[in-house]
Amino acid sequence: MLGTGSAFAKQYYNNNALLHAHGQTVLLDCGITAPLALHRLGKSFSEIDALLISHIHADHVGGMEEFAFQMKFVHKRKVPLYIPAPLIEPLWETTLKGGLMQEELTSLDAYFEVHPLQEGERAFISPGIEVTPIRTKHIPNKASYSFFINDTFFYSADMKFDAGLLNQLVEQGCTKIFHDCQLKPPGAVHATLDQLLTLPASIQERIWLMHYDDTMPQYRGRTGPMQFVEQHKVYSID
C-alpha cells in the first residue's frame, strides 16, 4: 500500500496501491501523494509497468501529470493505462489537459497506451492480474469504480455502503475485501465504520479498512473482526 489515507488525511498518504505479480508492478490509482510515497519507499515511476484508475478525484489521479511527464521525457516509454471507458474523456478534458497538453501532445494516448475497461467484464492487465470493474456509488452523477481482482480480492477504491454487493462478492468466492471507511458518520460518499459493523461476521472477517482519516489510531480495537490496512506494508491478496 502506497498510502491508506482519506482525501484530507495528513498523517497518511493518498489511498493508492501497488499490485505485484510475476515480476510486474501495476499502480492502482495515482493520487497527489503517489510520487512522494514511491520516493519514501525507494521506488520510482520507472518501476511501474501499468496503471489502473478507479475514478478521477485528485487523491486518486492527482499524481498522473508528474507520472505522464516522467514517463514521456525521462524514461521515454508509454505505460499501459487501464481505465473504465466512461472515465477516459473526463480524465483528459477536466483533469489532465490543462497541464499535459503541448504542441503535438494533445490527447491521453500521447502519453499512455489507453486500454478501456468495460463494466462487469474481466480484463487481463498484467501477468497474474485480472480485473473486473464494478461501477459503485460514490458521488452522485460521477462515475466511480471498484475492482474485483482475480475473482478473490475486492478493492473498493471509494464507495458508499452496499451490503448487497459485498454479500454477492462473498458468494462468488471473494476471500479478502479492502474497503474504504469513514470512521465517523454520516457516510455521505463513503461507507462508515458503523455501517460496516452491521455486516455479518462472516463478511466482516474478510474486510480490511482503508481510506481513513488521521483519527484512525483511536479506533484500534473498535472495529470488530475487521482490521486496518497500513501504508507501506505488503499484503497477499490470493
Side-chain angles (χ1 to χ4, degrees):
M1 294 300 297
L2 281 184
T4 54
S6 68
F8 308 135
K10 298 298 180 284
Q11 299 299 317
Y12 307 101
Y13 294 114
N14 295 152
N15 202 109
N16 306 161
L18 297 173
L19 301 176
H20 303 289
H22 300 287
Q24 299 289 296
T25 298
V26 177
L27 175 58
L28 201 174
D29 286 336
C30 184
I32 295 168
T33 64
L36 178 59
L38 281 168
H39 176 72
R40 291 283 169 83
L41 281 172
K43 298 180 180 293
S44 77
F45 283 131
S46 66
E47 299 176 49
I48 305 301
D49 299 295
L51 176 60
L52 175 64
I53 294 298
S54 64
H55 64 295
I56 59 173
H57 279 151
D59 56 325
H60 296 263
V61 297
M64 282 188 68
E65 180 177 313
E66 179 179 345
F67 185 28
F69 278 141
Q70 281 207 34
M71 298 312 294
K72 180 72 175 178
F73 298 111
V74 178
H75 306 296
K76 302 186 185 305
R77 64 184 176 93
K78 283 187 180 182
V79 169
L81 168 62
Y82 294 91
I83 178 170
L87 300 180
I88 295 173
E89 182 178 0
L91 175 61
W92 176 254
E93 292 293 335
T94 68
T95 303
L96 297 177
K97 182 177 180 179
L100 290 179
M101 189 172 72
Q102 54 182 286
E103 298 179 339
E104 76 282 3
L105 305 175
T106 60
S107 64
L108 196 59
D109 58 15
Y111 293 92
F112 299 96
E113 294 178 5
V114 181
H115 298 269
L117 301 178
Q118 303 302 322
E119 180 181 358
E121 294 184 10
R122 185 188 306 171
F124 172 90
I125 65 171
S126 184
I129 301 176
E130 295 185 357
V131 169
T132 303
I134 301 173
R135 185 159 179 167
T136 43
K137 294 180 180 180
H138 179 38
I139 303 294
N141 303 313
K142 192 178 183 74
S144 184
Y145 293 82
S146 301
F147 297 113
F148 194 27
I149 300 172
N150 291 356
D151 292 330
T152 59
F153 173 60
F154 179 69
Y155 186 94
S156 72
D158 290 1
M159 62 176 275
K160 293 182 179 180
F161 182 63
D162 189 342
L165 174 60
L166 298 178
N167 184 67
Q168 177 184 340
L169 289 166
V170 169
E171 289 179 350
Q172 293 175 357
C174 182
T175 58
K176 186 170 289 185
I177 297 167
F178 276 22
H179 206 300
D180 56 313
C181 178
Q182 184 169 315
L183 297 172
K184 308 177 192 69
V189 296
H190 294 281
T192 66
L193 176 59
D194 288 345
Q195 289 173 322
L196 292 168
L197 283 168
T198 67
L199 294 166
S202 60
I203 296 181
Q204 288 190 49
E205 64 190 12
R206 303 167 198 250
I207 292 178
W208 292 69
L209 305 172
M210 62 182 188
H211 208 287
Y212 41 73
D213 64 37
D214 289 338
T215 65
M216 181 274 281
Q218 302 173 24
Y219 288 83
R220 293 190 185 278
R222 298 166 57 185
T223 61
M226 297 182 289
Q227 304 177 64
F228 285 110
V229 182
E230 298 191 33
Q231 65 187 23
H232 288 184
K233 290 195 175 182
V234 178
Y235 299 86
S236 173
I237 64 175
D238 287 334

